[in-house]
Amino acid sequence: DATTIKEDEHAASEVAEASQANSEAASPQLRASQPRLPPLPQIFYGRDRECKILLDMVQKTSTETSARIAILGPPGIGKTSLAVTTIRHPQTVAIFGKNVYFIPCDGSPTPSALRSVIAKYLGIIDTKNLIQAIVKELSAGAAVLVLDNYETCWDPAEGRSEVEADLAALAAIPSLTLIVTMRGTARPSGVAWSKPFLSPLEPLTLQSSFQIY
């Protein structure tokens, strides 16, 4: 129920912050290369079903192939909040520890811009083949990569094939759980998205809306 979700979110925040603080204290270089994850949403109601589906997919990562998940829906529907709640959940932290990366894509309208942003978040220095270096870095062990607002680089038709090729290269990493949030209802091609597909998010029920306001 909603109370359990909120308790889990509070515990997740404490676990994630403690884990990240310990990592940063141990490695000053990590502070520069791994920005903190976004905070848990202060208000999060009406997405218990979707959250459980995502957590079940993430849990399978430890025993089966890693998940490839697209969180779809119109603007402002809660896609980012759902992704953040999932990656900060104690269940996710227990599996991946500090190897969780949240990349905002809203300032990266081209394939090269997105590669540069991902490389920066991973602490990769300038190199001739960024996508190859990114794949190598993310192949080091079990990890989660969230690409938030991915439609920014995917929507322009002129760069879409290149963007999808990069995404397919990331999705081919066996140990990487890949989550993208996107406006709309279409998933990028070239990725074997985990089934059953997560349905595009719909407006909250009237009861959940009352809980928010």
Side-chain angles (χ1 to χ4, degrees):
D1 56 18
T3 301
T4 301
I5 289 289
K6 295 302 289 183
E7 290 174 349
D8 285 346
E9 290 174 357
H10 179 70
S13 180
E14 292 182 341
V15 171
E17 289 174 3
S19 173
Q20 195 155 21
N22 290 337
S23 297
E24 290 174 353
S27 175
Q29 189 175 15
L30 190 60
R31 282 198 295 271
S33 62
Q34 288 185 278
R36 286 184 177 275
L37 298 177
L40 282 166
Q42 293 184 345
I43 299 175
F44 188 74
Y45 294 105
R47 299 295 182 198
D48 294 10
R49 184 186 70 84
E50 291 88 350
C51 191
K52 184 180 185 305
I53 291 172
L54 290 182
L55 289 171
D56 286 346
M57 288 182 172
V58 169
Q59 179 66 48
K60 290 179 180 179
T61 295
S62 59
T63 57
E64 301 176 21
T65 57
S66 298
R68 284 85 176 90
I69 305 165
I71 303 176
L72 308 174
I77 200 74
K79 301 181 294 296
T80 298
S81 293
L82 180 58
V84 171
T85 300
T86 300
I87 63 176
R88 276 188 163 271
H89 194 278
Q91 178 176 312
T92 306
V93 175
I95 296 173
F96 299 100
K98 68 179 185 298
N99 298 321
V100 179
Y101 308 95
F102 182 96
I103 314 293
C105 304
D106 47 359
S108 306
T110 65
S112 60
L114 182 58
R115 290 184 206 116
S116 295
V117 168
I118 297 175
K120 179 180 178 181
Y121 270 67
L122 296 177
I124 297 172
I125 60 174
D126 188 28
T127 182
K128 292 182 179 180
N129 192 328
L130 274 183
I131 191 62
Q132 185 177 28
I134 290 168
V135 168
K136 181 179 179 180
E137 181 70 21
L138 291 173
S139 299
V144 180
L145 175 65
V146 177
L147 299 175
D148 188 48
N149 291 319
Y150 190 72
E151 76 282 347
T152 303
C153 59
W154 185 78
D155 279 347
E158 61 272 16
R160 182 172 298 177
S161 60
E162 190 175 353
V163 166
E164 288 186 338
D166 286 353
L167 188 65
L170 296 173
I173 302 173
S175 57
L176 180 68
T177 292
L178 179 65
I179 301 174
V180 301
T181 74
M182 295 180 62
R183 295 181 181 183
T185 58
R187 296 171 179 82
S189 301
V191 175
W193 299 104
S194 298
K195 295 182 179 180
F197 295 146
L198 182 69
S199 300
L201 300 187
E202 297 181 351
L204 295 174
T205 63
L206 187 60
Q207 180 180 2
S208 296
S209 297
F210 282 146
Q211 286 181 303
I212 293 175
Y213 297 106

